[in-house]
Structure formats: structure tokens, C-alpha cells
Amino acid sequence: MKGDETNIIFLSKKDEINWVTLKRQPSEHRRLMSRINKNVILALLTLTSSAFLLFQLYYYKHYLSAKNGTGLSKSKGSRIGFDSTQWRAVKKFIVLTSSQNVPVFLIDPLILELINKDFEQVKNTSHGSTSECKFFCVPRDFTTFALRYHLWKNEEGWFRIAENMGFQCLKIESKDPRLDGIDSLSGTEIPLHYICRLANHAIHLVVFHERSGNYLWHGHLRLKGHMDRKFVPFRKLQFGRYPGAFDRPELQQITIDGLEILIPKDPVHFLEEIPRSRFIECRYKEARAFFQQYLDDNTVEAMAFRKNAKELLQLAAKTLKKLGVQFWLSSGTCLGWYRQCNIITYSKDVDLGIFIQDYKSDIISAFQDVGLPLKHKFGKVEDSLELSFQGKDDIKLDIFFFYEETDHMWNGGTQAKTGKKFKYLFPKFTLCWTEFVDMKVHVPCETTEYIEANYGKTWKIPVKTWDWKRSPPNVQPNGIWPISEWDEVIQLY
Amino acid sequence: MDDWKPSSLIKPFGARKKRSWYLTWKYKLTNQRALRRLCQTGAVLFLLVTVIVNIKLILDTRRAISEANGDPEPEQDYDEALGRLEPSRRRGSGPRRVLDVEVYSSRSKVYVAVDGTTVLEDEAREQGRGIHVIVLNQATGHVMAKRVFDTYSPHEDEAMVLFLNMVAPGRVLICTVKDEGSFHLKDTAKALLRSLGSQAGPALGWRDTWAFVGRKGGPVLGEKHSKSPALSSWGDPVLLKTDVPLSSAEEAECHWADTELNRRRRRFCSKVEGYGSVCSCKDPTPIEFSPDPLPDNNVLNVPVAVIAGNRPNYLYRMLRSLLSAQGVSPQMITVFIDGYYEEPMDVVALFGLRGIQHTPISIKNARVSQHYKASLTATFNLFPEARFAVVLEEDLDIAVDFFSFLSQSIHLLEEDDSLYCISAWNDQGYEHTAEDPALLYRVETMPGLGWVLRKSLYKEELEPKWPTPEKLWDWDMWMRMPEQRRGRECIIPDVSRSYHFGIVGLNMNGYFHEAYFKKHKFNTVPGVQLRNVDSLKKEAYEVEIHRLLSEAEVLDHSRNPCEDSFLPDTEGHTYVAFIRMEKDDDFTTWTQLAKCLHIWDLDVRGNHRGLWRLFRKKNHFLVVGVPASPYSVKKPPSITPIFLEPPPKEEGVPGAAEQT
């Protein structure tokens, strides 16, 4: 502004000087006069416009900072109390969901952890007696809730009401994976995520869908082309990086920070599930292509085998779950899932993998109790353990125990007649959830590598004769059991 | 801001010490043109910068405002997903105010082109005879409805009148005749055409060609007509080219209150025509029904699969009745559409339901069968917790107590393994043979037409061996086969809870519908309390039948069972008749009896161990097949079972017609 004042002075000085010259030359007088006028007008214009510009720039800056407000949230959240933006956003969201009957529950890992720390106290706190805002007032960018989609009745009006309340909402939709397994169906898209922003705090609403196999599924948060990539710092979201699968949690109501919310009844279990929730879908399209090339076996025997194998797998899964032992689909069963999303009818057994550190001595008795007697036991816990149980109708349940080395995993094999040992090598892998024959089960996330190690690059071509000692490309001879140990490491029943 | 040159020049001026130096310098330069020029350019540049910043600010503010006022993008998405780009917008040259329409009418070919896009073309032989009608949206030029009325045949003109009356005023109507369209074009229809302003329409003669474009409620925008010179020849082909001025979008739309429901309504009504009062501006029919909830509803969480094809008007009627039924839960309903048809999807969206489209697989009956399989599998995938699914078709009316009926009976499916299904349809339940809405039967046949399927039955038995596409089987016939049914039975009501109104279907025609479906009884009483539901369980039902037979009066077997007087003129009695039935599959006499009673006679339906139950003149009427039925023991020794001779071989018997 100072510059402008001086500008006026500067121009007026100039005028004085001009004035002297004017007296001498009247004809020039008018010319100069008009020039002076021009200059004055120009100066005035410059002055006003610069004032205007300054005002605008100031306003623009203000507007920009409001727009990118989430980025600045940390500095603003210093005042921790019930008037924090977090708390207000959550409160507004709770008001909205309860008035619109949106069935939500809290799944925010950070807040669940805080709640879990003094769970007893939280449970005993009655309405409104909290004096201090402890949970929702920690400065953060997000609070995460889950939506139980199948209980949701009035999907339509919700969005608009949220926006009328001041939320800015983003909805991420996708096609329904539950229809993927069925030939040629295309439905209305289902919502996967809602992100609703109020001032500089956002509510991330993860939509949980019911899936066959008694579990809840949420989708991958994938931004479509036209979406605003800076709507919220998406990278900081705790859910949505991958699709996820969760056991259907029982819920309970609690009051924290004066807000009534639902949380999982067993927050510890839920918190444990989060890092291990990654879900991969079966490759239905490829499976369909497979069946177009190699027709499906629909004979009565094949059907009966599938049914029995499915029942055996369900029984095994139930038993192992009760023991708390984590397992995954291995060998032929895994190949069946990956290649054709179904049980391979000529495989004649069900194969599972278990990490040796998860081994429990009561596995054998637990299987025996549910009517699956031990058929053979090869190896020992320290080396090449393998269990085999007899299911009904001659179907075998093979459990291979996996040993971890620094750069690979392996499981062992034993030839009963000769006592020869074999070793099957796999690249390191982690476990993911998937859905297989109406069940939520684990498979190696790095499935292609796992299958290729076991079956080679040609795994897509069905092979009916398979020699477990010679056919797998990852088999290695591993010496021979000393005769003295045979009684222990080769047990046939 | 830092680019502001003059300001940097002036800066030193503020410092007092330097002032004199500055002034001298200034003085030297004052008279120099260049400096003035510089000042002036600087000022102009500065002004320019201001203007640019200004414009940017305005643009940004506007964007911010539009973002704050509700995110319009999801809606746009939705529109794009359904291919709703309006033609005028698509061209990107601003709204066009005129459409050029071409209409062609001739003996063997008709076509209609709007702005160069063919919207109708029919040159198939032996098909598409009659008057083709196309309705365009007057604001967008969208095709909203496309119909053909074979006015060579009787009653089609009535359908045309009905349709044209439903079209909202202001819409653009296009008519063109293929082959022949006048033979059964009666006065009412002609009067209607006259009221539309047509000159030639009301005077349409045998084998004339005729093309017409007009706005409903006037004016006529073009008409061409060519008279047929002789009975054996056709009028010359006519090609009508005309311009149709478009009106503004506001004129084309009604001003309904801005609610979620009306938004759906508006989307629907701007797209399709022929649904009558749902799109009426003044007093539109509701599209939300909120029927009374059902106390103790046991089927609230049972998914409902509606199997549909491309009969959107049927689907509309069906969904209305379904959503009006007590105890319905709309979020459990999924409509499965066989094919990528838009209009059925629009109907589904109008009611705010979930719709799923299915790429057609195979042909004819096998296509229907594959569609059923995909729909059932999808239903159980979408509702993994469900133990049952209700299966409906698009050509059914649903009784107001449909869900109440299921809620009272569904536990039977759980408790009784000898049951195959619960069906809302009684094959033999005609106006004159059904009476008691509280009464249930067990039957060995599977009626379909609104039924409940147990998930375990589907997943464990039916799905794995469902007929493959190349088999060309009817799914319902397949389900009725002994290999699938395995001696299990279905529960049905005496008075049906569904009504089959479809007359256009794969296995359906007007004659067939009139003979077998029109007179079917349909319950309209809400909240019927079913009687003795547990007596429908396997053992209990036998006890019940024996009790019934014991108290039944034996009819006079010397009389003709086909005559009305076979049953006395009483009310509320139970009568029994014995017919000859040598073996379990000997239905000779039954079929003849069914024929003369005017009930379903195309195959055997509604039997339970050689026993049929129906009503005659408000009396319960039992028919027992002797000696095949185990109930033959109830026959008094003196009675000779009735035997009816099948008629000598006839030609015109309707073939193996089945329900769609």
C-alpha cells in the first residue's frame, strides 16, 4: 500500500515540473494537460486495481488454505477438547447415521486400540459422564467406520442428507464380485467406500458385504479417472489398499467421548485381523476360459467327489479353526482353486499346508474326534512332518508342514517303502484370504509363484498322472531316514 | 505481485536521504518519452494481470460453489453407465432445435430414421405386420417407446388405443404401416387417430401404406398415404420426410416436488412411455407403497428373485403388486433380466430395486433355463445367509397376503424333508374349483409360478446337475422329473397367491391363456390365517386325508361326472368319487375328467398318491384313483370306479404346451 501513496506523490511532483514549462508554450499547454489528465487517470486506475488485486490475492490465499485444509490439520488440532474438528465431524456423522438408520460400527484401529487399553473403564462409563475428550479428539485425518451393507435399508436418500449437513462425500463403487463367479451376469454397481469430509476431518466408511462362507468382505479403494486425487490424503487410509475379509464380528454399544457407538465385541480379535485381512478373488474369468477349453467333468462320480471333498475341507477348516491353527490350500487343492475355482475332480485328495511353528500336538486327536482317523504320519516336528487323514469315500486329507529358511520355504516328503526323503522348495510367500467352495480360506498371496514352483509353467494344462516324487519341478532328494528312526518317522495305519 | 515493475522503481523514494538524488534523476528523465511510455505500458500490463487473476478467482469460486452444492458427478456417472447421452448433447454443438424424421411405409419394409439414425427397421418376412408406433421425447428426440400393433388381427386395435391414450400429451408420435393394418382397425381406433389430427389414418383401407408424424394433442407434422389400387395389390411405398421442432426440456417435464422418489420418476418418465399414470403430471400414481408390515414375519430376510425377460410392461405390473404385498422387504428383491434390455432395467430403477442383467446363453427353453440357474446362483451368492429364496416371474400378480402365506408355512420346508417346495400356485385352482383361502394341500407336482426354494436343495442337488445349455430343456419340466423330485412334494394353497397374467411368452399365446389361466382364482383377502399348517407334514397329512375320506359322502357313481348335477346342490359338504386308475401312471380317466371340469388337463397336476382335492359348488370334492391309490381301501365294495374313454384320436389337440 505504501508504494501506492508514493506513487501519487511522484506523479504530482512531475506535474509541478510540467507546469513551469506550460507557461511558455500555450499550444503545448493543452497537449500536456491532456497528458497529465491521462496520467492521473492511469494512476488512479493503477491504484484502485492494485488495491483490488491485493484484496483478491489475500482472499485467494485464504480460499486455497481452506481447500487444502486437511493438510494443515495437525497444526490446527493443538486444542484438544470437545470442540475439536475431529470430534465434531464424528458427532455429526453419528447423528446422521442414527437418524438415517445407517448400520455402522467403528473399526478405526487407532481408536479401537485406545478403547481396548482401558476397556473396562469404557464399558462402565455411562452416558455423558465423560469430562475429557480422549478418543475422538486426537488430531488425525480420518476416523474409520464400517457399514453393514445387508442391513441397510434406505441407501438412496442418505448421500444427499449427508451433503446437506455439510459433509463433502466421495463414493467409490465397483461391480459386485459375488456375481463374478457366475457366467455373464452384470448388475448394478455396489458401493465399496464412502469418504465424507467435514472441514479438515474425514470419515472413511468402509462398506462390508456379506459373502458365502460366513464372512464380511470389503473392496479395494480404487480411484477412477475423474475423481479428485487430493480429496483426502488417500495414502493414509487404513482400509482399502487391498480388498479384505473379516469374520463377522459381534457388536456392542459403548459410549465414549459422549457419543454412542457400536464397536466389535472382541476388539482384540478384530485388531488382529486387520493386518492379515488381505483378500484375493478367484480368477473366475480365467477359470471360465479353462472350462471352455477342457470341458468340466459332470459325471455323477465327479459330482460326488466334489461334494465329499468340499465336506472334508469344511470339516478340516472347522477343526483347525477351533484349534487356532492357521492353514492354507496347498498342492492340488490350491491348483484347483487357482486354475478353475473349483475342486479338481480327479485329484482324489484334499491338500492343506500349515507352518510348522503352528503345529500343535492335539491336531491328530482333534481330527480323530471328528471322524477323521490318522492314515499315516511321516517325519517329525523337527523335519519333514506330514500328516494324512482318512476321510469318507476314500478321500484323503493331506497336511503338509512348511519349514521356513532365510530365502525359501519347504515341506518334506517320505517314501514309506524305502525311507527316502524328499524336499519341495517354494519361494517365500505370505497368506491371503480367498473364497473357495463357499468358504473363507487362506491361500498363498503369491499364488502364481507358488503354483509354478509346484507344477511348472505349464500348470494350466491338466495332467492326470502325477508322480509326487518325480513330477514336481521343485522336488529334491533329501537323503534317507536312518533305519533307527523309521518307527517314529514312518507311521502307517 | 513481485512482478510489479513500477513498485520496485519507486521503492527508494520512501527513504528520505536518497530523495534529492532521486528527484534529480527523476527530473532528468521526466521529459523523456520513453519513460512515459514505460509507465503507461507498465500500467496496462498491470491491469491485464489484475484481470487475469480476477477471472481465475471467479472460475475457482464457481467451481467451489458447485462442489459444495452437492456432487453432481455420481448422477452423471449413472447416466453414462446406462448410455443415456442425449443425442442433441452428444453432438456437442449446443442443443438442436429441430429433428429431421424420415418414415417409410410399404408392403415388405418399414423404417424410421431420426436425425439420420435408424430407430426402426423391419423388413423381415412374415413378421411385423400392422401399425408400428414410435414415441419420441419432444425435448430430446429420444425414442421412448416402440410398439407394433397387428391391426390385421382382432383386438390389437384395442391395445393400440390403450397405448396411445397412455402417451403423455406433447410427445411426438410416429406411425407407419407394414403390409396390412386396416382389417381389424375398428371405429374407436379410427376416432382416436382422427383426434390426433390424422387425415388418412381414419380412412385407412385394405393394404394402404401410411406414414404419420404428429405431436400428441396436435399439431400434425407430416402425413403421407397411398391407396391400394386393388384387393390383390398394395399401395405404393411412401417416404415421409419432415422436420420436428423440439420443445424445451421444461415443457417436456412435469413439475413434481423434488424428492428422491420423484427424481426416480423423472428419470423414468423422460425415457420411456406407455406406463400411464405413473408419469402423469397432475396426480401421478405412487411408486412407493409401504404396505402394512407383517407381525412375526418369518420371510422378512428371505431373498426374492424376480426372473424377467424383455416384457417391461409386465414387469412393471408385477413389481407394483409385489411391492404392495404385506410384509415385503424391497431390499431383498433382485430382478434378473435375461439380456441387455434397457427398458426393464428402467422399470427396476423406477422402483429403486436391484437389477441384474444376464448375457443370454443358448436359445429358447435352454436360454430360460440357463437364466434361471444364473439367477438362483446369484441370489444365494448375494444373500449368503439365506436358507430359502422366493422365485417369481415377471408375468405374475402377487397376492396381498403372499408373504403372509409364506411366513405361516415356511417352517414346513425346514422341518419336513419330504417337501420339495412351497408354491403360491394351485394348478387346479380355478374360479369354479377353489374356495378356501385358509386351506393347504400337498401335491406331487411342482407348480412353479411363485415358489420357495430351499438353499440346500439347490446347492446340493439341483445346481451341480442343472441341465447344460445344449440340452434345450425346460427348467420346470426338468425339476418335475422323478430323478430330481425324488418323491418329494410341494405345499400349495387351495386359492392361489399368484396370478399368471402374461399372454405373450415363450410357450404362451392368447388362446392358451384364455383357456388355462384367465379363470384362475386369486386371493385378494389380506391377512388370511392358514388353517392347521402342521397337518401338512408328511405323517399328519395322511391322518388328515383318512379323516376326510372317512367323513366324505360317496357320490352317485351312476351319474355322469362331467355334468353339474354329479354333485348335489349343497354347501360345505365333503364328497368323494372313485375313478379308474390301474397303475401309478394311469391317468386316462383323470385326464378326461379334468377336461370336462375345465381344469388343467395338459398333464397331470395336483395329485397326492392318486388323490385329487378340489371344490365343486362350494363342496370339497375328492377324487381317488382306484386301485392305484392307497386310499382305494376307502372305496365301498359296491362302488364301481368311474371310467372315461379317451376320445378317438383327434388332430387339433394343443401340443405339449407348458407354462412359461
Side-chain angles (χ1 to χ4, degrees):
Chain A
M1 281 300 180
K2 223 174 194 172
D4 302 326
E5 281 165 39
T6 48
N7 200 10
I8 300 170
I9 301 164
F10 156 66
L11 282 167
S12 52
K13 293 276 172 204
K14 188 173 75 180
D15 293 345
E16 268 172 44
I17 297 155
N18 281 338
W19 192 249
V20 187
T21 40
L22 290 185
K23 288 184 177 171
R24 272 180 289 168
Q25 283 171 323
S27 58
E28 223 178 81
H29 181 186
R30 246 163 287 143
R31 202 161 60 87
L32 263 173
M33 261 322 262
S34 68
R35 187 174 294 150
I36 288 160
N37 279 348
K38 228 194 232 165
N39 281 342
V40 169
I41 289 166
L42 208 69
L44 276 173
L45 263 175
T46 318
L47 176 72
T48 43
S49 61
S50 61
F52 197 45
L53 180 71
L54 275 172
F55 167 74
Q56 280 174 353
L57 282 173
Y58 171 77
Y59 179 78
Y60 191 62
K61 209 172 168 187
H62 186 77
Y63 160 72
L64 273 180
S65 69
K67 200 176 167 196
N68 298 335
T70 39
L72 304 167
S73 62
K74 288 220 163 83
S75 58
K76 285 192 181 174
S78 54
R79 205 169 43 151
I80 295 173
F82 283 102
D83 52 351
S84 81
T85 44
Q86 285 84 359
W87 186 82
R88 268 185 311 203
V90 172
K91 183 182 161 102
K92 228 173 186 180
F93 180 73
I94 300 283
V95 168
L96 168 72
T97 51
S98 54
S99 70
Q100 293 299 307
N101 289 320
V102 187
V104 297
F105 62 98
L106 184 82
I107 54 168
D108 199 291
L110 202 94
I111 298 175
L112 281 184
E113 230 152 78
L114 286 177
I115 292 172
N116 195 36
K117 266 185 205 151
D118 43 2
F119 200 31
E120 284 315 306
Q121 199 206 324
V122 167
K123 271 200 282 191
N124 297 332
T125 314
S126 58
H127 301 227
S129 66
T130 30
S131 53
E132 186 196 354
C133 179
K134 280 197 293 197
F135 302 97
F136 290 122
C137 297
V138 185
R140 323 182 40 209
D141 294 313
F142 297 102
T143 307
T144 316
F145 284 85
L147 169 75
R148 290 176 291 161
Y149 189 72
H150 70 291
L151 298 177
W152 201 12
K153 295 199 160 74
N154 50 347
E155 195 181 336
E156 226 176 18
W158 175 80
F159 213 66
R160 220 164 280 268
I161 293 169
E163 283 176 340
N164 287 345
M165 285 177 82
F167 283 105
Q168 272 180 288
C169 288
L170 185 76
K171 179 184 187 183
I172 287 140
E173 284 182 306
S174 176
K175 62 189 175 70
D176 195 331
R178 294 169 297 188
L179 300 177
D180 265 7
I182 311 160
D183 230 357
S184 55
L185 285 189
S186 61
T188 340
E189 297 210 318
I190 52 168
L192 299 183
H193 295 266
Y194 290 95
I195 296 172
C196 288
R197 196 174 68 185
L198 187 77
N200 54 25
H201 191 71
I203 305 287
H204 179 199
L205 187 54
V206 184
V207 186
F208 277 26
H209 295 271
E210 294 269 324
R211 296 281 300 255
S212 311
N214 201 22
Y215 68 100
L216 298 176
W217 171 90
H218 74 75
H220 177 189
L221 196 156
R222 188 181 282 133
L223 293 178
K224 288 185 185 159
H226 65 270
M227 285 175 183
D228 180 6
R229 259 139 238 280
K230 291 195 178 127
F231 185 74
V232 287
F234 287 102
R235 290 190 173 279
K236 293 187 192 165
L237 291 176
Q238 275 124 337
F239 289 82
R241 199 178 163 79
Y242 299 109
F246 289 85
D247 290 335
R248 188 184 303 106
E250 270 187 70
L251 301 180
Q252 62 174 340
Q253 187 151 43
I254 56 163
T255 306
I256 50 169
D257 295 346
L259 300 175
E260 265 183 47
I261 53 159
L262 283 170
I263 62 161
K265 205 164 200 166
D266 186 354
V268 181
H269 176 70
F270 191 84
L271 285 167
E272 277 170 0
E273 277 187 283
I274 295 174
R276 294 188 272 159
S277 65
R278 187 177 164 191
F279 180 90
I280 45 181
E281 208 69 62
C282 197
R283 309 181 325 147
Y284 295 107
K285 235 167 96 186
E286 285 84 352
R288 270 200 290 278
F290 175 84
F291 281 123
Q292 261 167 13
Q293 197 171 355
Y294 310 99
L295 285 181
D296 198 8
D297 186 358
N298 281 323
T299 55
V300 180
E301 300 79 52
M303 231 80 95
F305 175 78
R306 270 200 183 133
K307 189 168 176 243
N308 290 330
K310 179 179 167 181
E311 279 166 11
L312 180 60
L313 183 56
Q314 274 165 344
L315 187 61
K318 206 172 117 192
T319 314
L320 289 171
K321 189 170 184 184
K322 220 182 263 170
L323 290 172
V325 173
Q326 176 176 263
F327 72 93
W328 66 91
L329 304 183
S330 190
S331 311
T333 313
C334 187
L335 179 65
W337 167 75
Y338 195 59
R339 187 172 69 189
Q340 49 207 70
C341 298
N342 211 334
I343 292 162
I344 300 177
T345 50
Y346 49 84
S347 57
K348 301 299 165 218
D349 52 15
V350 171
D351 303 311
L352 304 181
I354 294 178
F355 289 121
I356 192 67
Q357 53 269 33
D358 291 335
Y359 173 78
K360 286 187 180 158
S361 53
D362 42 2
I363 287 181
I364 297 173
S365 59
F367 275 107
Q368 238 136 14
D369 291 346
V370 294
L372 299 173
L374 188 65
K375 194 164 180 242
H376 58 240
K377 177 184 174 190
F378 292 138
K380 49 189 181 180
V381 177
E382 301 78 41
D383 186 8
S384 303
L385 184 65
E386 177 192 342
L387 299 174
S388 192
F389 298 91
Q390 185 60 57
K392 67 171 185 183
D393 289 325
D394 237 19
I395 306 180
K396 213 155 50 99
L397 173 71
D398 288 329
I399 299 181
F400 305 104
F401 288 87
F402 278 63
Y403 298 80
E404 192 171 351
E405 306 291 336
T406 45
D407 61 341
H408 69 280
M409 316 250 196
W410 63 276
N411 73 299
T414 300
Q415 191 178 22
K417 267 190 302 195
T418 59
K420 271 190 194 158
K421 284 164 73 186
F422 298 92
K423 201 171 189 178
Y424 302 86
L425 304 180
F426 293 90
K428 283 209 163 186
F429 57 87
T430 50
L431 293 183
C432 278
W433 290 113
T434 193
E435 187 180 308
F436 184 58
V437 290
D438 298 331
M439 249 185 298
K440 184 184 90 167
V441 287
H442 273 129
V443 288
C445 301
E446 298 79 10
T447 330
T448 324
E449 289 79 6
Y450 188 86
I451 299 244
E452 279 180 3
N454 213 180
Y455 295 96
K457 296 264 181 204
T458 56
W459 56 269
K460 280 186 187 164
I461 304 159
V463 177
K464 291 205 179 177
T465 47
W466 188 259
D467 180 354
W468 61 268
K469 300 180 291 302
R470 257 176 241 111
S471 307
N474 62 339
V475 66
Q476 278 181 9
N478 190 22
I480 199 159
W481 290 107
I483 309 249
S484 58
E485 283 187 47
W486 278 31
D487 281 350
E488 191 204 336
V489 298
I490 304 176
Q491 297 180 24
L492 301 166
Y493 297 90
Chain B
M1 204 159 74
D2 297 332
D3 299 339
W4 190 29
K5 289 276 152 46
S7 109
S8 63
L9 269 177
I10 294 153
K11 227 174 192 174
F13 199 67
R16 251 193 118 75
K17 276 181 193 168
K18 285 180 185 174
R19 194 173 165 180
S20 55
W21 170 82
Y22 187 75
L23 264 177
T24 10
W25 182 72
K26 193 81 266 176
Y27 189 69
K28 277 184 198 159
L29 287 175
T30 306
N31 283 335
Q32 284 173 22
R33 252 208 167 113
L35 182 76
R36 276 203 296 272
R37 274 282 143 82
L38 192 76
C39 279
Q40 277 171 3
T41 350
V44 168
L45 263 175
F46 175 69
L47 272 172
L48 261 173
V49 170
T50 320
V51 166
I52 288 166
V53 171
N54 227 313
I55 289 171
K56 172 133 178 62
L57 191 80
I58 288 169
L59 286 179
D60 277 353
T61 322
R62 278 181 74 162
R63 205 181 59 205
I65 286 168
S66 73
E67 265 172 25
N69 286 351
D71 196 355
E73 285 184 2
E75 254 174 86
Q76 267 171 21
D77 268 358
Y78 183 71
D79 285 355
E80 274 170 47
L82 290 175
R84 292 183 177 193
L85 282 174
E86 291 170 13
S88 49
R89 250 194 246 161
R90 192 169 37 203
R91 288 195 191 131
S93 57
R96 290 202 36 175
R97 305 316 308 163
V98 172
L99 291 173
D100 20 292
V101 176
E102 275 178 52
V103 191
Y104 183 78
S105 164
S106 73
R107 174 195 171 182
S108 54
K109 178 181 178 176
V110 287
Y111 79 80
V112 174
V114 177
D115 266 357
T117 313
T118 309
V119 295
L120 165 78
E121 184 160 25
D122 186 348
E123 46 185 335
R125 283 158 155 253
E126 320 271 320
Q127 230 176 285
R129 175 183 57 200
I131 303 178
H132 291 251
V133 181
I134 286 180
V135 183
L136 301 183
N137 185 304
Q138 67 270 44
T140 62
H142 257 146
V143 176
M144 302 182 75
K146 217 183 327 188
R147 301 279 194 282
V148 54
F149 302 98
D150 179 13
T151 42
Y152 171 81
S153 309
H155 304 303
E156 286 277 315
D157 62 331
E158 293 160 20
M160 186 173 84
V161 170
L162 208 67
F163 174 74
L164 288 178
N165 279 333
M166 271 198 287
V167 173
R171 300 278 188 235
V172 179
L173 284 173
I174 302 173
C175 302
T176 174
V177 171
K178 183 180 176 189
D179 191 358
E180 212 302 301
S182 72
F183 190 53
H184 271 103
L185 192 66
K186 294 280 164 13
D187 287 346
T188 333
K190 286 183 174 170
L192 180 69
L193 292 179
R194 190 172 299 118
S195 77
L196 292 174
S198 167
Q199 304 269 317
L204 195 68
W206 173 253
R207 290 184 174 173
D208 287 358
T209 53
W210 174 56
F212 170 85
V213 179
R215 210 179 274 283
K216 180 147 186 211
V220 177
L221 300 160
E223 185 166 22
K224 266 191 183 172
H225 174 231
S226 169
K227 271 216 102 40
S228 150
L231 266 186
S232 57
S233 55
W234 282 262
D236 293 332
V238 293
L239 176 63
L240 170 66
K241 286 190 183 185
T242 181
D243 280 348
V244 175
L246 288 174
S247 49
S248 70
E250 290 87 64
E251 275 173 60
E253 277 185 1
C254 300
H255 302 283
W256 296 305
D258 188 34
T259 63
E260 208 56 58
L261 286 180
N262 280 339
R263 244 169 252 138
R264 292 200 316 236
R265 190 194 297 278
R266 186 166 296 128
R267 218 174 290 151
F268 181 78
C269 294
S270 66
K271 230 190 133 188
V272 293
E273 258 293 353
Y275 291 84
S277 52
V278 73
C279 294
S280 145
C281 281
K282 264 192 201 142
D283 187 20
T285 4
I287 52 171
E288 195 178 53
F289 306 93
S290 11
D292 297 338
L294 207 58
D296 310 318
N297 191 346
N298 297 320
V299 290
L300 194 67
N301 293 318
V302 176
V304 177
V306 179
I307 315 284
N310 190 18
R311 295 181 288 177
N313 288 73
Y314 284 10
L315 185 63
Y316 173 78
R317 170 170 168 182
M318 188 274 163
L319 291 178
R320 283 195 83 88
S321 75
L322 176 63
L323 292 170
S324 313
Q326 271 186 13
V328 67
S329 28
Q331 75 276 11
M332 300 304 286
I333 300 172
T334 315
V335 181
F336 293 94
I337 296 158
D338 191 10
Y340 284 99
Y341 303 116
E342 264 190 58
E343 202 169 320
M345 229 23 195
D346 296 334
V347 172
V348 173
L350 170 71
F351 292 112
L353 299 174
R354 172 178 28 242
I356 290 176
Q357 289 171 308
H358 182 210
T359 319
I361 302 169
S362 193
I363 46 159
K364 287 187 182 160
N365 296 347
R367 171 171 167 178
V368 176
S369 162
Q370 290 312 304
H371 182 50
Y372 258 88
K373 184 186 180 187
S375 307
L376 296 177
T377 305
T379 303
F380 289 120
N381 275 4
L382 291 174
F383 300 94
E385 292 301 285
R387 279 166 299 155
F388 309 100
V390 176
V391 184
L392 299 172
E393 288 160 38
E394 68 183 340
D395 51 3
L396 296 179
D397 278 331
I398 301 304
V400 64
D401 75 331
F402 178 80
F403 291 104
S404 151
F405 156 73
L406 294 181
S407 173
Q408 292 175 65
S409 56
I410 200 152
H411 66 280
L412 294 172
L413 266 189
E414 266 176 293
E415 293 162 14
D416 187 348
D417 287 340
S418 69
L419 285 180
Y420 198 46
C421 75
I422 295 174
S423 174
W425 177 259
N426 176 5
D427 283 305
Q428 309 295 23
Y430 291 85
E431 288 285 358
H432 60 289
T433 56
E435 202 58 52
D436 187 352
L439 182 63
L440 301 179
Y441 301 136
R442 272 179 88 102
V443 295
E444 287 172 17
T445 51
M446 203 213 101
L449 299 180
W451 54 289
V452 183
L453 170 68
R454 202 194 274 133
K455 181 179 184 176
S456 57
L457 170 69
Y458 181 69
K459 280 280 164 192
E460 283 157 31
E461 298 181 40
L462 303 179
E463 189 187 30
K465 55 178 183 175
W466 197 272
T468 43
E470 71 279 2
K471 291 229 167 81
L472 303 182
W473 280 352
D474 269 319
W475 70 274
D476 54 340
M477 286 317 206
W478 176 78
M479 268 194 78
R480 288 181 186 121
M481 278 157 49
E483 296 90 315
Q484 275 65 251
R485 195 172 60 83
R486 297 214 231 136
R488 288 169 292 193
E489 296 185 297
C490 287
I491 301 283
I492 59 164
D494 178 52
V495 179
S496 299
R497 263 40 176 209
S498 61
Y499 178 75
H500 186 258
F501 63 76
I503 55 166
V504 193
L506 188 56
N507 304 316
M508 225 4 108
N509 57 52
Y511 161 76
F512 188 67
H513 185 261
E514 191 132 342
Y516 288 103
F517 290 103
K518 208 168 175 190
K519 299 260 165 65
H520 238 280
K521 192 153 186 158
F522 176 60
N523 182 52
T524 52
V525 186
V528 175
Q529 203 61 41
L530 301 179
R531 198 167 343 105
N532 247 336
V533 177
D534 282 327
S535 73
L536 270 297
K537 288 186 190 168
K538 196 173 161 73
E539 284 82 23
Y541 195 66
E542 294 313 309
V543 175
E544 171 70 9
I545 296 291
H546 278 278
R547 184 190 66 77
L548 264 179
L549 284 169
S550 305
E551 64 179 44
E553 300 161 46
V554 179
L555 288 164
D556 182 354
H557 281 55
S558 61
R559 286 171 180 268
N560 181 353
C562 288
E563 265 164 35
D564 229 25
S565 59
F566 185 61
L567 268 89
D569 293 320
T570 55
E571 255 183 49
H573 286 239
T574 305
Y575 296 108
V576 62
F578 297 91
I579 61 167
R580 197 194 287 178
M581 182 174 162
E582 298 296 344
K583 291 181 294 172
D584 280 348
D585 57 354
D586 168 24
F587 299 114
T588 325
T589 303
W590 166 254
T591 306
Q592 294 316 308
L593 184 64
K595 201 162 269 172
C596 69
L597 292 177
H598 299 293
I599 56 177
W600 185 270
D601 59 358
L602 299 180
D603 55 4
V604 180
R605 300 279 173 95
N607 52 317
H608 166 79
R609 307 178 83 199
L611 166 86
W612 286 265
R613 298 175 65 179
L614 38 132
F615 279 85
R616 297 279 288 137
K617 300 183 187 170
K618 305 205 168 170
N619 299 301
H620 201 22
F621 176 43
L622 310 175
V623 179
V624 177
V626 178
S629 167
Y631 309 123
S632 304
V633 293
K634 295 281 180 184
K635 182 182 79 69
S638 57
I639 295 286
T640 319
I642 295 163
F643 177 66
L644 295 174
E645 194 84 46
K649 257 199 176 170
E650 243 180 89
E651 285 311 303
V653 176
E658 290 108 28
Q659 291 160 222
T660 36

